Amino acid sequence: MSDRLHTFDRVSRRHPCPICGKTDWCLLARDGGAAICPRTEAGGRYLGEAGWLHALTVATRVTPSTFQWTRAATVPTIDAATLHAEFREAVGDEQFVAAADHLCVSAASLERLGMGWARAHRAYTFPMFDARRRPIGLRLRAGGGRKWAIEGSRNGLFIPEGVSARGRIVVVEGPTDCAAVLDWGVDAIGRPSANACVDMTCEFCEGREV
């Protein structure tokens, strides 16, 4: 991704984010070369609280002030369900205990969240699901705390096994915060970031006290 400087403006209804399609929070470069999306990390470069920087190309110039943007490169899709099963097979009891000690949560809660191990990345994995509990992506977490996603992942929810379909549920940010709440004996799910997967969260929690 180019490190050239861009001047950014906030997205709007007229110019929605080309990455997530939303009309708030995100930023677009005036030259059409980049976008910063706080909701979508796959294919982007992490910039901290601002979100992820995505390179763009200007596909067509409709008017002098209106552009249509497309991704600079196509992000491959993945079989998240198959990868999740492989990573679950690769993680051992000792890794669950080590991760639990490091994160100050229980190994049982990490297991409920489907934690696995990606040898190629030397990182723990956590599956991300859509509102119907279908795997759509995988979050990686290295021992030093670095977090990123398998390329081709879609942002989704961290949904532990055994969450009931009704009653109170707590919504937090990330799988490890979710594990901490599970340790209290409370139903919980995690969002991938503070601004991500709003519609998906609402769909999953419909009819419940949140």
Side-chain angles (χ1 to χ4, degrees), residues 2-8 28-35 53-55:
S2 171
D3 288 323
R4 63 179 176 161
L5 295 176
H6 297 276
T7 300
F8 289 88
L28 276 176
R30 291 179 183 175
D31 63 4
L53 178 67
H54 298 263

Side-chain angles (χ1 to χ4, degrees), residues 89-167:
E89 279 291 316
V91 68
D93 292 341
E94 292 182 0
Q95 287 168 306
F96 270 112
V97 172
D101 287 345
H102 176 68
L103 297 169
C104 298
V105 297
S106 71
S109 289
L110 295 176
E111 188 169 6
R112 286 183 63 189
L113 284 159
M115 192 187 83
W117 176 254
R119 290 191 181 94
H121 299 280
R122 298 191 58 80
Y124 295 107
T125 65
F126 292 93
M128 293 183 284
F129 300 90
D130 65 13
R132 298 182 182 180
R133 302 195 189 204
R134 295 175 297 199
I136 58 175
L138 290 142
R139 166 74 61 85
L140 298 169
R141 183 187 178 102
R146 182 190 169 212
K147 305 166 201 171
W148 71 107
I150 295 283
E151 188 174 10
S153 293
R154 290 174 52 206
N155 263 347
L157 305 175
F158 301 102
I159 304 176
E161 296 174 359
V163 171
S164 64
R166 51 190 166 182

Side-chain angles (χ1 to χ4, degrees), residues 54-74:
H54 298 263
L56 304 171
T57 57
V58 178
T60 58
R61 185 185 290 266
V62 181
T63 72
S65 62
T66 305
F67 298 90
Q68 292 179 351
W69 288 271
T70 60
R71 293 278 187 122
T74 302

